[in-house]
Amino acid sequence: MRSPHRTTPAPRRLLAAALAARTGDETAGPALLLLGYAGAEAGHGSAATASALLAAGTAAAALGGPVLGALLDRAPRPGRLLAACLGLCATGLVSVLLAFGRVAFPLTLLLALATGAFAPALAGGWTAQLATHARPGRLHRIQALDAMTYSAASLLGPALAGLLGRPAGPAPAVLAAAALILLAVPAARSLPARDGAPAGPLTVRALARDLVRGFAGLVRSMPLARATAGSTLSCLGQGMFVTCVPLLGARLLGGPGDGALLLGCTALAALGAGAVLARLRRPPRPDTVLWVAPLVLAGAFAMAVAATAAHRPGLLVAAAVLVGAAEGPQLTALFAVRHREAPEGLRAQVFTTGASVKITAFALGAALAGPLLTRSAGGALLAAGAVQLLAALAHAALSRAPVRRWRPAGTSCVRGPARG
């Protein structure tokens, strides 16, 4: 009898495809902004239309995640559905490029909305599949490497968009984003059929029932609810910090564009922390990391306040590095808890719905930081730090609740890096 590990794609291939798709996704956001600003210079757009394009994709991702997760959990061949979502996402990006400035902007905005609805396939859709294609003894390493693909993509994507968009306009950046996403399609299609997929036709009632079960899955398991609440609040604070970065760059580093260097430092630190975590034989318990990381982030934001008050660029860079050192392990720990606690029939929903909630929180944090920045950058950073403390408190409060796990029989082998 053939080993199931020989009939499934190698984890390295899945991780490489995930890196390509996520780099494409991280390239797409800045590329759409460049497209909007280029339209403003050509007389058929404005800064408002640029931000509207990006906001449309973000909002659609928040709404599309739960539905996509429910469909992936029902699909007998999830790889084919995942590949179709990747193809539609890439096609949507090219459609937005072709439509912008040639058709009415509301129609272009609808295309951006439709494209963003498939974006969760690049995040939770991939991560949900990894647990079933890794040996239990190597699951922790795969989770850490998966988290590193997010950090690497957040570093490479904006840089690629800037390099391609500066000499030739936004079109090459948009096309490069679409091409990178398409590179992941073959690996997605190679995913094997699922054993024991839900039977019965796909109806509106069945889909609604699956969505209710998916949201309930995040609540009925106390470890999942605790991880979701803490990481969502933490992501809200991270959105506030990212919004502060251009102003911090202008005040301490020479210009708003130099703020991107801070995000580069953050991404590099997250990569380094992920690499160290992947090599540990006895990694820290993910539940512990999830309440320690917000405390470290709060300290990093306080360092950024001190750097702004004292006008010390070196301290600001150190704060950005500390942010990445906390964010990398935090994401790895979140994946570990989801893999460990998610019911087998709801795994994709848990990942895509959780990703959608975090996207919404990040966007809300960015929106809240705007008015605060008009008054004080230090005040906005302190507010971001306060949100991180609230995330740690929420995790601690839910830790006192009775532990409930919703795990079907036969899944005890997939427990992530938790010991005991």
Side-chain angles (χ1 to χ4, degrees):
M1 182 176 179
R2 295 178 64 186
S3 169
H5 295 290
R6 296 180 181 176
T7 62
T8 59
R12 289 183 179 179
R13 185 185 180 194
L14 292 178
L15 289 169
L19 176 60
R22 289 164 183 165
T23 302
D25 186 37
E26 292 290 344
T27 305
L32 290 179
L33 284 175
L34 290 173
L35 181 64
Y37 283 116
E41 294 177 357
H44 52 262
S46 65
T49 61
S51 61
L53 283 175
L54 183 60
T58 302
L63 295 174
V67 175
L68 176 60
L71 294 175
L72 284 171
D73 281 329
R74 292 185 62 89
R77 294 296 299 264
R80 293 182 178 179
L81 177 58
L82 189 59
C85 291
L86 295 172
L88 289 170
C89 187
T91 302
L93 286 173
V94 176
S95 300
V96 170
L97 174 63
L98 295 176
F100 188 74
R102 297 179 176 86
V103 302
F105 181 69
L107 294 178
T108 306
L109 203 61
L110 287 176
L111 285 173
L113 280 166
T115 302
F118 299 104
L122 285 63
W126 274 110
T127 302
Q129 305 299 320
L130 287 176
T132 58
H133 303 298
R135 290 179 171 85
R138 294 179 60 84
L139 183 57
H140 158 69
R141 179 176 173 81
I142 296 300
Q143 289 166 347
L145 293 174
D146 183 39
M148 288 173 63
T149 65
Y150 287 91
S151 301
S154 67
L155 179 65
L156 296 173
L160 181 61
L163 288 174
L164 294 177
R166 181 172 296 179
V174 176
L175 292 175
L180 285 168
I181 293 172
L182 288 176
L183 283 177
V185 170
R189 285 188 58 85
S190 67
L191 290 170
R194 187 204 316 276
D195 294 331
L202 177 62
T203 63
V204 174
R205 175 177 292 184
L207 181 60
R209 184 173 60 249
D210 288 348
L211 287 173
V212 171
R213 291 178 63 233
F215 280 104
L218 288 174
V219 178
R220 291 182 182 177
S221 167
M222 185 52 63
L224 264 181
R226 184 173 59 207
T228 301
S231 63
T232 299
L233 285 171
S234 183
C235 199
L236 189 149
Q238 291 166 24
M240 300 177 74
F241 171 72
V242 170
T243 305
C244 297
V245 163
L247 183 58
L248 296 176
R251 290 186 177 181
L252 276 75
L253 301 177
D258 293 329
L261 297 176
L262 290 178
L263 296 181
C265 292
T266 298
L268 283 173
L271 275 172
V276 171
L277 202 61
R279 292 182 175 275
L280 292 179
R281 293 186 177 181
R282 294 180 62 84
R285 294 186 70 252
D287 303 274
T288 301
V289 173
L290 285 176
W291 70 263
V292 171
L295 297 178
V296 177
L297 287 169
F301 297 162
M303 285 178 59
V305 174
T308 304
H311 204 275
R312 296 177 58 184
L315 186 60
L316 180 62
V317 173
V321 171
L322 189 58
V323 169
E327 286 182 353
Q330 183 185 40
L331 187 60
T332 301
L334 179 61
F335 289 166
V337 172
R338 287 177 180 171
H339 278 305
R340 187 188 70 200
E341 301 293 336
E344 190 59 40
L346 299 176
R347 184 175 300 277
Q349 284 190 77
V350 166
F351 276 92
T352 56
T353 302
S356 298
V357 171
K358 287 187 65 180
I359 289 171
T360 304
F362 188 92
L364 179 60
L368 291 174
L372 293 175
L373 277 174
T374 60
R375 298 184 178 182
S376 168
L381 289 169
L382 288 175
V387 172
Q388 296 297 338
L389 294 177
L390 183 61
L393 287 173
H395 193 282
L398 290 175
S399 296
R400 295 179 176 273
V403 176
R404 301 192 307 271
R405 284 184 169 85
W406 186 10
R407 187 184 296 118
T411 60
S412 58
C413 62
V414 184
R415 294 191 56 83
R419 298 189 296 271

